[in-house]
Amino acid sequence: MMAATTGALPLHVLFDLDASIDRQDPREKELQAARDYVVSLQHGRPNNEFHRVLHEKIDTHMPQINGGLLYLILTQPSQSSVQYYNLLELCDTDHFRFVLSKLHNLVADQDLLSMRPFQRLHSRSRERIAWLVRRIADVHFDNLPPILTLLLRQVRSGDLGVDNIALARVIVGILNKHWSRLDPRTDIIPTTVYSILRLISDHQSLPEIQRIEIDYVTCMLRERFRECLRIGRDLFRLLLNVSNIPVFADFLLEMQSDPKRLHPSFEGLTALLATPTNPLYLAQRVTPEMDTKMRYILNKVTRERSHAAIAQYTRRLLKYEEGSASVYADLIRFVCGSVQPPNDVLSSNITQRWEALVNLFTELMAMKNNTALQDAKLALYFDWFFWNPRHDNIMYIEPAMLMMEKMASKSPHIADTLVEYLFFMADGFLPEFSVEIRTSLNLALNSLVEKGVTRSLQKMYSANIAEDTRQRLKGLFPEFVLLADGRRPPYEILLAEFRDLNASNHNGKAETLMNDEFAFMELCATINQEQGESLPPLYLEFFQQLPELRSKLLTLLSQARAVDDTFRRVFLIWVLA
């Protein structure tokens, strides 16, 4: 074995930093001290003697020996790295837990105030980390899922650079080789499927890496579909994004035509779209550094400085020498679904989520990248299309509403673009679900008014927006355009209650309930026609118009597992009157 050089090392060996101005990263300082200890044991000793001394001291000096060998693996030439890894394997007493904890510290980017991000590691260091993880996977895979998830998160969306693709190839290769050992009780399956399925569309010009990504995702969808369903509705969005690939087009068709074939508990596409995506999975397609710095902007940076902060953020983190702007959609989805500022921030002068998104959209529109822009709009509105007040969080849809409302007076062209997209997608996104999508859009707006996110659409409707935009708003939300501030049409929630009952009924009564709903909607239409454009302002007045449905409504109410409190209270008042 070639002995490592003794004496003082440069400040920055792991990291690509300037020794004249950048202080040493504390993690490198710690590992260098451990490396010095190992080198002192090696100095002047033949290999056999060196191995014997390591074995003698491993019990009392495990952190120094394992840390020193790790540093040598990451910094020495390839041949020496292999030899030091063999020593590490011989000295292993904890199934590599200590080594993996040190790798976790290098990859996680948990403290960017005192430590450098993963992307500032030398290319050689990042390649060595991936190589070491692959070697450990072959002997002790059970401890690897956390570091695999972190490394996969460091694969940047849209970046087609050599280093980024090499990291993706290693991680996906490990997952393909050891997929049967993935623990279904953890989040490793949904997080990796979400991440890799998203990356497939970025790698269309790289058939070799795309092929192994497709192999992994299709294997998981077929063999671990129940765990994949934990992703939620964004699983469908990502599958739709790669539907030009035959294997995924066939899978989407099967989801709709024969859902039970995929898994006996799968209720079909409607059930999947009704399930909100876990914020944990939405965060997988932004790097930890992107995550931390965006949260800082949305929790600390004042509005006066927001434009400059976002401009610096995009310049440093979203611009790649080789690649696309697809990362913008991932970041927008992350901001809408994973970042939820506390109330004191929402009522302060701190940068709001909608302001950050306006800056991102402005950047995208300037790029004239229509594909990336359409993906970003879908990321913004995706939860609107399948909104259910019982299961969804109002924070998912708040940024889009405030973007439209604020931009209607400040930058009408942005509001025009967003409303136009919403109008055409209501019927064009999934034509077979157009009725449900339009209902969800109105339920979403109903929730926004109820929670006080917006008072009404009147301010936006009367702003300096294009006449086409006004007509589209009226076509999408006719009742809300006409209502005064804070008022909501009462029948929308009731229709959702009955629709939810139909969807949740599994006792052979679905057809009867559906007929009841049709009767209910016909009466609604009759009432609206008789009263012109006005709608009953209170639930009580509305129920008084429906005496012939009293018994059916009572039956439906008794079958409901969860009913809106206002619905229940006013309904019982009317029944007991």
Side-chain angles (χ1 to χ4, degrees):
M1 177 185 296
M2 182 182 297
T5 304
T6 58
L9 288 173
L11 283 179
H12 311 303
V13 181
L14 282 178
F15 289 89
D16 186 12
L17 301 173
D18 187 340
S20 63
I21 58 175
D22 293 316
R23 58 179 173 75
Q24 189 176 33
D25 188 281
R27 295 163 296 180
E28 179 153 23
K29 184 177 182 180
E30 177 190 352
L31 290 175
Q32 275 192 1
R35 173 260 183 202
D36 291 342
Y37 177 77
V38 172
V39 170
S40 70
L41 296 180
Q42 184 182 17
H43 183 63
R45 288 187 171 96
N47 287 343
N48 291 340
E49 180 70 12
F50 176 45
H51 297 172
R52 183 187 63 77
V53 172
L54 288 179
H55 277 288
E56 287 178 355
K57 294 184 176 293
I58 189 65
D59 290 335
T60 56
H61 295 78
M62 188 271 285
Q64 294 94 322
I65 292 175
N66 280 350
L69 290 174
L70 171 62
Y71 192 78
L72 290 165
I73 291 169
L74 299 182
T75 58
Q76 291 295 301
S78 297
Q79 183 177 357
S80 295
S81 290
V82 172
Q83 293 171 341
Y84 283 117
Y85 170 76
N86 291 335
L87 276 181
L88 181 65
E89 197 173 89
L90 289 172
C91 295
D92 176 42
T93 59
D94 65 348
H95 300 297
F96 293 100
R97 288 187 179 88
F98 178 85
V99 169
L100 290 174
S101 72
K102 294 303 177 185
L103 292 178
H104 184 281
N105 289 340
L106 289 172
V107 176
D109 292 345
Q110 291 177 325
D111 181 5
L112 294 180
L113 291 177
S114 60
M115 302 179 187
R116 300 295 180 175
F118 175 80
Q119 297 297 335
R120 292 304 302 273
L121 286 167
H122 271 296
S123 170
R124 177 192 65 251
S125 301
R126 296 198 301 270
E127 183 271 330
R128 290 283 91 191
I129 288 174
W131 175 85
L132 177 57
V133 169
R134 181 170 57 188
R135 292 294 299 264
I136 294 175
D138 291 333
V139 290
H140 288 296
F141 181 82
D142 291 344
N143 295 327
L144 272 186
I147 193 70
L148 287 176
T149 302
L150 275 175
L151 282 171
L152 187 57
R153 199 177 174 194
Q154 291 288 4
V155 178
R156 299 185 294 185
S157 296
D159 184 359
L160 300 182
V162 173
D163 291 344
N164 197 61
I165 296 302
L167 180 59
R169 181 181 290 108
V170 171
I171 303 307
V172 179
I174 293 172
L175 291 168
N176 263 326
K177 184 176 181 180
H178 301 284
W179 70 265
S180 62
R181 301 175 65 183
L182 298 176
D183 188 350
R185 297 168 296 180
T186 67
D187 288 314
I188 181 66
I189 293 175
T191 53
T192 55
V193 168
Y194 180 92
S195 220
I196 296 172
L197 183 57
R198 166 61 190 85
L199 290 171
I200 289 172
S201 59
D202 283 345
H203 299 159
Q204 295 193 32
S205 61
L206 302 168
E208 179 189 352
I209 179 68
Q210 191 188 55
R211 181 67 262 164
I212 64 172
E213 290 169 341
I214 292 172
D215 289 345
Y216 175 72
V217 172
T218 53
C219 176
M220 290 296 98
L221 289 174
R222 294 294 179 184
E223 302 294 336
R224 297 287 188 269
F225 185 63
R226 184 177 182 180
E227 285 70 38
C228 294
L229 287 176
R230 288 159 51 189
I231 294 172
R233 64 173 65 112
D234 275 80
L235 175 61
F236 174 77
R237 178 178 68 90
L238 297 181
L239 285 169
L240 205 61
N241 207 30
V242 292
S243 58
N244 60 312
I245 300 173
V247 65
F248 294 120
D250 294 342
F251 191 83
L252 280 169
L253 183 62
E254 193 172 340
M255 286 178 72
Q256 191 165 4
S257 62
D258 194 6
K260 295 295 184 182
R261 183 179 177 184
L262 298 174
H263 195 276
S265 65
F266 182 42
E267 296 297 330
L269 196 53
T270 302
L272 177 62
L273 295 174
T275 306
T277 301
N278 189 321
L280 170 69
Y281 308 140
L282 293 176
Q284 294 306 305
R285 278 296 81 231
V286 295
T287 67
E289 184 182 7
M290 292 180 190
D291 182 327
T292 301
K293 291 184 176 179
M294 179 54 72
R295 290 183 192 274
Y296 178 83
I297 291 172
L298 297 175
N299 281 278
K300 300 294 182 182
V301 177
T302 59
R303 288 177 171 176
E304 294 78 12
R305 300 180 59 193
S306 64
H307 180 75
I310 294 294
Q312 184 184 51
Y313 182 94
T314 57
R315 184 172 62 254
R316 290 188 176 182
L317 298 177
L318 307 184
K319 306 295 185 184
Y320 309 135
E321 293 183 5
E322 299 179 68
S324 69
S326 63
V327 66
Y328 281 81
D330 296 326
L331 187 57
I332 289 166
R333 201 78 190 96
F334 165 73
V335 170
C336 290
S338 293
V339 181
Q340 298 185 13
N343 289 334
D344 60 327
V345 170
L346 294 174
S347 58
S348 70
N349 192 39
I350 298 298
T351 303
Q352 301 298 302
R353 294 188 301 163
W354 70 266
E355 292 172 303
L357 294 181
V358 166
N359 281 284
L360 292 175
F361 267 91
T362 303
E363 291 249 4
L364 261 180
M365 293 170 77
M367 293 179 192
K368 301 187 184 302
N369 186 329
N370 189 57
T371 300
L373 184 59
Q374 296 306 312
D375 287 344
K377 291 176 185 176
L378 180 59
L380 180 68
Y381 282 115
F382 192 61
D383 288 314
W384 284 63
F385 296 148
F386 312 105
W387 176 259
N388 185 328
R390 293 180 185 173
H391 309 302
D392 285 277
N393 190 325
I394 193 70
M395 298 299 280
Y396 299 164
I397 59 175
E398 178 239 37
M401 181 68 246
L402 293 180
M403 277 183 69
M404 291 190 296
E405 185 174 84
K406 304 293 185 181
M407 290 300 102
S409 55
K410 295 181 179 180
S411 300
H413 69 283
I414 293 180
D416 292 340
T417 298
L418 295 177
V419 174
E420 178 187 37
Y421 177 83
L422 203 56
F423 179 79
F424 286 112
M425 290 293 276
D427 293 324
F429 179 48
L430 294 173
E432 64 272 28
F433 289 98
S434 60
V435 174
E436 289 82 356
I437 288 175
R438 283 186 171 270
T439 301
S440 293
L441 291 175
N442 279 271
L443 285 171
L445 190 54
N446 184 82
S447 296
L448 291 163
V449 174
E450 179 185 21
K451 300 295 184 182
V453 174
T454 184
R455 296 294 295 165
S456 74
L457 289 181
Q458 287 214 348
K459 181 179 178 181
M460 184 177 172
Y461 190 74
S462 58
N464 189 30
I465 55 177
E467 183 58 33
D468 285 347
T469 303
R470 286 194 186 86
Q471 294 304 315
R472 287 163 182 160
L473 278 175
K474 195 170 182 179
L476 285 170
F477 311 108
E479 295 84 5
F480 288 94
V481 168
L482 298 173
L483 288 175
D485 282 1
R487 300 296 294 277
R488 295 176 292 131
Y491 72 90
E492 292 292 340
I493 289 181
L494 303 184
L495 289 179
E497 294 289 347
F498 292 110
R499 186 167 287 110
D500 285 347
L501 285 173
N502 291 332
S504 63
N505 187 279
H506 304 294
N507 300 320
K509 300 180 181 178
E511 184 176 352
T512 301
L513 290 177
M514 186 66 75
N515 291 335
D516 288 339
E517 183 182 346
F518 289 151
F520 185 84
M521 293 177 68
E522 288 175 4
L523 282 169
C524 290
T526 301
I527 293 167
N528 292 342
Q529 188 174 5
E530 290 174 355
Q531 297 189 0
E533 293 295 324
S534 63
L535 290 169
L538 299 173
Y539 284 114
L540 182 57
E541 294 178 15
F542 184 71
F543 282 127
Q544 286 172 344
Q545 306 291 330
L546 307 173
E548 60 268 46
L549 269 185
R550 181 191 297 257
S551 61
K552 290 184 177 182
L553 289 170
L554 279 170
T555 301
L556 291 170
L557 181 65
S558 67
Q559 294 171 343
R561 290 178 293 180
V563 179
D564 178 78
D565 289 340
T566 306
F567 178 100
R568 183 187 298 279
R569 183 171 63 255
V570 178
F571 184 90
L572 292 178
I573 290 173
W574 172 68
V575 169
L576 297 173

